[in-house]
Amino acid sequence: MSGWTGKALHVDLTTGQSRVEEIPREWFEQYWGGRGLADRYLYDLMDPAIDPLSPDNVLIFATGPLTGTSTPCGARYMVVTKGLLTGAITTSNSGGFFGPELKFAGYDLLILRGKASAPSYLFIYDDRVEVRSAESYWGKTVSETEDGLRRELGIPGLRVACIGPAGEKLVRFACIMNDKHRAAGRSGVGAVMGSKNLKAIAVRGTGSVSIAQPEAFWQAVAAMNAAMADHPGRQSFSEQGTAAVMDLTNAYGALPTRNFQQGQFEYAENLNGTAIRATRLVANKACFACTIACGRVTKLDGGADKYLVNMHPRNWKMAGEGPEYENAWSLGADCGVGDLDAVIKANWLCNDLGMDPISMGATLAAAMELYEKGHLTDEQVDLPLRFGSGEALVRMVEATGYREGFGDMLAEGSKIMSEKLGHPEVFMGVKGQEFPAYEPRGFQGMGVAYATCNRGACHLRAWTPALETQEGVDPHTPEGKGEWVAHEQNRTTAHDATGICLFVGAAGGPLETFVPCYAAATGLPVTLEDALVVGERTWNLERLWNLRAGHSRATDTLPKRLLTEAFTEGPSAGVVVHLEPMLDEYYRTRQWTSDGVPTPEKLSQLGLDSL
Amino acid sequence: MTAALKIVPDRCTGCMQCELACSWSKTGTFQPAASLIRVHIFDEEAAYAPYTCLQCEEAWCMTVCPTHAIVHDEATGTKRIVSSLCIGCHLCSLTCPFGTVFTRPDNGQAAKCDLCGGQPACSAVCPTDAIEFVDVEETGEWFAPWGDKVAQRHAEAFGS
């Protein structure tokens, strides 16, 4: 088989038994791989209504047909499971080197079920698959776990995906980390892994990925490389990292600040790509096969002694990774913190404890709003949770990872926390998952993108600033946004089926440029139109799954603050989100009913009517 | 005049495109385990560098081989493994001071860089030009600073 390995590795953690399955050919043709293929398995293998922390929840690691090839940025794998934060299907993507290694070991998919009786790790060396004791790693941080497994196993080229203390303690937004600094970040996939008593997956693969039509493949790769080489988007990612986006969102009044109470942050210049590059950057770091290298290895410069923490064993290693734009926002602007050292430390702590910095910062921001408004008293919290306090930020990140003191409350995520504290209005998110770094009152389209995303609030399924910053497009009007978002979701979903990083799209290498790579790698004569159908089919399948999990139009919604309260100043002053007309347009475009249910005609057209 | 791979570690981002290209040229598939150039990640220093055979003039791998399976290729200036002679004993791997004689995953024989017969694939594919293939009189100017650094560390450690 070319492109794919054709195999799924099933491991039952309860019994420790594993088996290899040939993946049905028609599923490859219908879903391509990665996210789509894993979605199809999840649909078959579990009841969407079960508790995400149940042993019956299925945890899938999925590579794509282009993962492990030299197609630019073919590094990605997708974690697919029922999200703890959302109660919806979640598809959490990560780069680094773990995904390709799993594929070189011979597997398109790794499918985990059950629950180990004691802390365990999964060891995969090509055909050899063992569930082993991880007693000595339980409680350890991400970097300690990876270093420890490398020492224990002594295998050059070993790659590790693991959870930190946050995943063990079922922090609701815990990540699965791989290669120490890369994260399958959102929706609490790390807590699902922790609930299975699975600390880590250590994999070494010495096999190969073959290509069906080498000549066509290399031509397509060369064309993609040529398109990306001098593209301004690629140069910006390389030079400034993702934090370059902060200048854009701040200029549009779309940089959510102090838990979405403002749309611009006065200290944005302390946290943007230019500031990080000028004062903190050590080196760019690439994922596997990446020609962009947006990753930021950073150092603390003179600020190493500020904000020391209590329990974390590393006070402080001098180099780590981040912040990305999202983290610079969540830990910075959303908490009102303008000190880059505090943001970097909090980011490194999130990485090493294994937590999603977006939900971490956003949950803390909600708590800070409650504290500032007097709804949280000094007796309830460990230290004053004032907006702008770097001390509070760094200390509470650590406390959350270990569920210490008020951190135990923050670890529930901002929806459950705000409900427990009697103020649900401060939760800023959708389907239980906190918003990322785009204010829908600045970019209207993000409102419908967030509301309709299958994995809760997410910016990676339809990034509307691509449309709304264009000449002649009004970022504040709802018209056309629902339709655009529906089409864009299909595109990104097809993208996620290939194993290619989403960032190539903004760096001169959109879906059009690598569908030929996919066609040549697998030997399937497909076009862009076929890709969009695969994306639409997958999106509808995820929707069917979510409907069975209890989601509906009622949960395709936004917090009241965005719908009724406008900013009084800045570029987005006077704007609220007009969700209902956008949602109606979105459902119409998707050919769903007004309740958000795919019509039988649509399902039949996509070949989903038998499900 | 001869040609050699000049590796500039400061430019390397650790993406492993060189390993993919190398394995493709040797196996016709993507298989980093078969690559004859390897990217080493110095995690603590946030530094990355590919390393491969330096084609030593005084090649110990060639000297030590019991079956004379490593030969000097006049045309390309490389030390080349003749696979029909290699018995897979790996004395060459043990002897190489740089750890750049690898093991073929398919048959266990020794494998090392042969500069792709004069057109190295790794150099062509590197997105940041960290691997240059250049004509050289001697490699002294690249290695001199490295040698100075080693000498300095040696002096610090042993006081001479």
Side-chain angles (χ1 to χ4, degrees):
Chain A
M1 201 161 210
S2 297
W4 304 288
T5 68
K7 295 189 174 67
L9 173 63
H10 292 263
V11 180
D12 185 334
L13 294 165
T14 307
T15 63
Q17 298 296 306
S18 64
R19 67 183 169 87
V20 177
E21 178 199 11
E22 298 281 337
I23 298 168
R25 176 81 192 179
E26 64 267 26
W27 284 10
F28 281 129
E29 288 167 3
Q30 289 162 0
Y31 299 98
W32 286 17
R35 176 174 158 198
L37 187 62
D39 283 350
R40 186 65 187 82
Y41 266 93
L42 200 75
Y43 199 89
D44 253 27
L45 294 177
M46 71 178 280
D47 173 4
I50 65 165
D51 180 352
L53 295 178
S54 153
D56 293 331
N57 194 0
V58 178
L59 182 64
I60 303 178
F61 294 73
T63 66
L66 295 178
T67 306
T69 72
S70 68
T71 313
C73 310
R76 312 300 290 193
Y77 74 96
M78 188 71 86
V79 175
V80 177
T81 187
K82 181 167 183 175
L84 178 59
L85 208 52
T86 56
I89 191 168
T90 196
T91 49
S92 211
N93 194 283
S94 181
F97 300 87
F98 177 82
E101 201 68 28
L102 183 63
K103 195 152 172 205
F104 294 130
Y107 311 107
D108 292 317
L109 299 178
L110 168 62
I111 301 174
L112 304 173
R113 275 183 288 189
K115 177 182 181 179
S117 56
S120 302
Y121 77 89
L122 181 62
F123 174 64
I124 302 173
Y125 194 149
D126 295 335
D127 297 338
R128 189 169 161 188
V129 179
E130 292 171 22
V131 179
R132 296 177 168 185
S133 169
E135 293 285 359
S136 56
Y137 302 114
W138 206 252
K140 295 280 197 279
T141 65
V142 167
S143 55
E144 288 171 334
T145 304
E146 177 160 339
D147 288 341
L149 282 165
R150 285 186 184 287
R151 272 197 299 275
E152 176 189 328
L153 296 167
I155 299 169
L158 187 82
R159 306 292 182 186
V160 174
C162 69
I163 57 171
E168 297 171 16
K169 291 181 180 297
L170 309 183
V171 173
R172 299 184 81 89
F173 43 85
C175 307
I176 296 172
M177 303 294 298
N178 61 279
D179 304 287
K180 290 186 183 174
H181 306 286
R182 296 284 120 200
R186 301 221 69 193
S187 315
V189 294
V192 172
M193 186 155 152
S195 75
K196 298 186 175 304
N197 262 336
L198 186 65
K199 178 67 178 175
I201 301 166
V203 58
R204 170 63 177 156
T206 64
S208 61
V209 176
S210 59
I211 299 296
Q213 297 156 357
E215 200 176 326
F217 178 80
W218 284 108
Q219 275 176 7
V221 169
M224 188 173 174
N225 273 323
M228 289 173 65
D230 297 320
H231 191 275
R234 176 184 180 278
Q235 285 169 348
S236 172
F237 273 135
S238 295
E239 286 167 16
Q240 306 240 319
T242 54
V245 177
M246 189 167 285
D247 299 332
L248 175 90
T249 48
N250 207 37
Y252 275 81
L255 180 67
T257 300
R258 296 183 181 84
N259 202 33
F260 289 73
Q261 298 185 90
Q262 289 132 0
Q264 286 182 312
F265 185 43
E266 63 273 28
Y267 299 117
E269 284 186 1
N270 294 3
L271 306 174
N272 65 11
T274 312
I276 293 168
R277 182 179 178 83
T279 64
R280 297 293 183 268
L281 184 70
V282 179
N284 285 28
K285 187 170 179 183
C287 295
F288 184 92
C290 174
T291 58
I292 301 172
C294 72
R296 310 277 98 176
V297 179
T298 47
K299 65 179 190 307
L300 292 165
D301 195 16
D305 296 330
K306 291 192 284 186
Y307 316 121
L308 294 181
V309 290
N310 295 326
M311 294 133 59
H312 191 269
R314 295 193 307 171
N315 260 332
W316 285 90
K317 207 178 93 161
M318 289 308 288
E321 283 188 41
E324 305 293 325
Y325 167 60
E326 289 295 332
N327 313 347
W329 161 76
S330 63
L331 304 166
D334 205 30
C335 291
V337 176
D339 182 343
L340 188 54
D341 284 322
V343 171
I344 288 177
K345 279 190 174 179
N347 196 157
W348 292 358
L349 269 178
C350 284
N351 288 353
D352 217 21
L353 297 170
M355 293 189 293
D356 171 19
I358 300 179
S359 288
M360 178 68 243
T363 303
L364 183 59
M368 284 175 163
E369 183 183 339
L370 292 176
Y371 182 86
E372 296 271 9
K373 288 182 173 170
H375 301 313
L376 261 178
T377 64
D378 282 316
E379 287 70 45
Q380 288 172 282
V381 295
D382 308 293
L383 74 171
L385 300 185
R386 296 213 176 280
F387 280 120
S389 167
E391 184 80 22
L393 172 69
V394 176
R395 293 284 295 280
M396 291 320 295
V397 167
E398 183 196 35
T400 304
Y402 290 105
R403 278 192 181 264
E404 289 278 325
F406 189 70
D408 193 33
M409 179 69 88
L410 293 169
E412 294 298 309
S414 72
K415 181 165 194 288
I416 292 178
M417 177 192 74
S418 62
E419 284 167 1
K420 279 186 175 171
L421 295 172
H423 290 275
E425 74 280 4
V426 299
F427 165 60
M428 291 294 126
V430 176
K431 298 184 177 73
Q433 177 157 293
E434 293 77 7
F435 288 127
Y438 303 89
E439 166 58 74
R441 285 168 290 188
F443 293 120
Q444 188 78 210
M446 286 312 296
V448 67
Y450 288 150
T452 61
C453 178
N454 286 330
R455 66 159 181 171
C458 169
H459 58 294
L460 296 167
R461 303 296 180 252
W463 191 73
T464 67
L467 168 77
E468 297 182 294
T469 57
Q470 285 174 19
E471 190 75 32
V473 178
D474 180 358
H476 299 148
T477 177
E479 274 159 41
K481 304 295 168 65
E483 184 182 346
W484 190 88
V485 163
H487 290 303
E488 183 67 8
Q489 286 169 343
N490 294 344
R491 278 181 76 91
T492 56
T493 306
H495 197 132
D496 283 344
T498 61
I500 298 297
C501 177
L502 202 58
F503 285 0
V504 296
L511 195 57
E512 289 84 343
T513 59
F514 64 90
V515 165
C517 300
Y518 168 83
T522 61
L524 294 184
V526 294
T527 62
L528 178 68
E529 284 66 39
D530 298 318
L532 297 177
V533 172
V534 166
E536 187 180 13
R537 179 181 295 123
T538 304
W539 192 272
N540 277 268
L541 182 72
E542 290 179 351
R543 181 68 178 184
L544 291 178
W545 202 98
N546 279 349
L547 292 171
R548 288 171 59 195
H551 288 287
S552 65
R553 180 165 184 145
T555 56
D556 291 351
T557 187
L558 296 173
K560 209 171 150 200
R561 178 172 297 169
L562 304 187
L563 302 174
T564 58
E565 297 170 27
F567 297 132
T568 53
E569 54 186 15
S572 52
V575 181
V576 294
V577 183
H578 303 286
L579 179 63
E580 293 306 315
M582 289 194 291
L583 205 51
D584 287 334
E585 182 184 294
Y586 173 88
Y587 287 159
R588 270 200 309 278
T589 308
R590 285 231 169 266
Q591 294 173 267
W592 292 356
T593 69
S594 58
D595 293 327
V597 179
T599 58
E601 295 77 35
K602 178 45 75 180
L603 294 179
S604 168
Q605 183 197 334
L606 294 170
L608 293 171
D609 43 345
S610 61
L611 296 179
Chain B
M1 196 76 118
T2 183
L5 291 173
K6 178 183 179 183
I7 290 171
V8 190
D10 289 351
R11 294 180 191 161
C12 177
T13 62
C15 77
M16 291 175 62
Q17 282 279 2
C18 52
E19 293 195 27
L20 289 171
C22 179
S23 67
W24 182 270
S25 80
K26 301 304 170 201
T27 70
T29 66
F30 295 114
Q31 187 178 18
S35 174
L36 306 177
I37 185 168
R38 302 281 170 98
V39 178
H40 192 83
I41 297 175
F42 299 89
D43 211 20
E44 302 292 313
E45 284 88 22
Y48 334 96
Y51 63 96
T52 188
C53 176
L54 301 174
Q55 315 296 348
C56 302
E57 191 153 311
E58 184 187 317
W60 295 356
C61 59
M62 192 165 82
T63 311
V64 79
C65 179
T67 62
H68 306 289
I70 301 181
V71 298
H72 179 70
D73 188 319
E74 293 286 346
T76 59
T78 60
K79 308 297 179 294
R80 188 166 54 81
I81 295 176
V82 182
S83 62
S84 60
L85 296 175
C86 176
I87 56 171
C89 73
H90 287 286
L91 272 175
C92 51
S93 307
L94 290 168
T95 311
C96 173
F98 306 103
T100 55
V101 185
F102 301 104
T103 305
R104 281 176 59 159
D106 57 343
N107 64 8
Q109 284 186 327
K112 65 179 281 304
C113 171
D114 60 1
L115 297 177
C116 296
Q119 289 183 309
C122 55
S123 172
V125 79
C126 179
T128 56
D129 298 325
I131 309 170
E132 297 175 358
F133 189 58
V134 289
D135 280 333
V136 284
E137 288 293 343
E138 53 174 323
T139 53
E141 63 174 301
W142 314 335
F143 288 110
W146 185 73
D148 290 346
K149 199 169 163 184
V150 171
Q152 188 193 337
R153 287 196 180 173
H154 189 272
E156 284 166 9
F158 301 106
S160 64

